[in-house]
Amino acid sequence: MTENRNIKKNDKKRDPRFHIVKRDALIWYKALGIRITAILMALVVCGVITTITTGINPIKVYESMFAGAFGSTRKTWITLQNTSILLMIALALTPAFKMKFWNIGGEGQVLIGGLATAVCMIWLDGKVSNAVMIICMILASVTAGMIWGLIPALFKAKWNTNETLSTLMMNYIATQLVAFFIILEEVPKGSGKIGIINQNSNTGWLPQLFGSKYLLTIVVAVIITLFMAVYLIYTKHGYEISVVGESENTARYVGIKVQKVIIRTMMLSGAICGLAGLLLVGGINHTITTTIAGGEGFTAVLVSWMSKFNPFTMILSSMLIVFMERGAGEISTNFGLNHSYSDILTGIILFFIIGCEFFITYQLQYCKKTEKKEEEVA
């Protein structure tokens, strides 16, 4: 009896002092406070590292970052435009992620949409009016993106293949198709690139709003943000996406056709990514390259998850990441630092931002021990 009592006491002593438990949903301003604190801590850490490794005043580094993103009217417009593209791709991926369909193919869907746009601009030049060409560009880019989303969705719905691998491989296929088209239509021949498409006639160039070449992309991003918020929260399709994401078995039990939801949702994701490709080729760059998406298809994954699939939170997340990217380039220019150094600072800030989500979702709970409890166990 005495031995059993000692064993139980020893087991009790080995119990942890703290437990990690899931929080109840935090009030929005408390969650916001945690995120702001994380960003401030990240800036302090970056400042210390900067001072130790380079001897440069960190305040000047941060001023340079701000100047790189918002230092002039043109820089501000470019920052907002880049934010809009990243936001659109993040919004496109969000329905699939909310359904727990791991769509890593945003990059390829943007590329294929841009390729469809370039094909229309080059092959229809001089054959149709500008208005008809732009309509064809819109239809082609959206359709191409839908098809690129449909293919892995069909395999997932019919044969339960791994969507992460299939969407990732679709990125490489899209890249090679763009590379083939560039060789086919390169200007001048042998240059390995396509110059500005229809530079003399501007045929197929998307129209400017109020005389601004940046505003169209921003307006489209705002419209898609509002659409996605309404679609996910207030529509039947959005409800079905949430149920499928929680449990496919439950979705089937309540009569939801899971395969149909998967296919429909991925077609929507692909269509919006294709639209982003249209804006990149027809409205911003007026050319096509294999790197025109700039890795935003992968960065958008981070934006979507970091925002917990909230379309309005994604606006801030997208702007923060674009701000850091553009500010990082300014650091390299002004202080003669290797661009990798600015990437390190960006990584540290993102680490703190992502890490703070742990403290929003979970908390450390102290385990109280009383003699009375120990006697009861004994």
Side-chain angles (χ1 to χ4, degrees), residues 220-262:
V220 173
V222 170
I223 293 172
I224 292 178
T225 302
L226 294 174
F227 162 78
M228 193 58 70
V230 173
Y231 181 80
L232 292 176
I233 299 172
Y234 297 107
T235 68
K236 178 185 175 183
H237 288 180
Y239 170 74
E240 290 176 344
I241 288 171
S242 298
V243 176
V244 171
E246 290 294 329
S247 170
E248 289 190 11
N249 291 331
T250 302
R252 292 189 181 96
Y253 180 77
V254 299
I256 296 174
K257 296 179 180 179
V258 175
Q259 292 184 351
K260 182 179 178 180
V261 174
I262 291 173

Side-chain angles (χ1 to χ4, degrees), residues 75-138:
K75 287 181 178 180
T76 301
W77 276 115
I78 293 175
T79 298
L80 294 176
Q81 180 179 258
N82 293 352
T83 299
S84 299
I85 292 294
L86 179 58
L87 174 62
M88 283 180 61
I89 302 172
L91 289 168
L93 301 180
T94 294
F97 287 152
K98 199 168 184 181
M99 188 178 61
K100 288 186 170 59
F101 185 105
W102 313 123
N103 180 14
I104 315 299
E107 192 87 358
Q109 291 155 25
V110 172
L111 272 176
I112 208 69
L115 175 60
T117 301
V119 168
C120 290
M121 293 175 71
I122 294 174
W123 290 1
L124 296 181
D125 183 33
K127 299 177 182 177
V128 296
S129 65
N130 188 50
V132 172
M133 180 183 288
I134 290 176
I135 293 173
C136 291
M137 287 161 53
I138 295 171

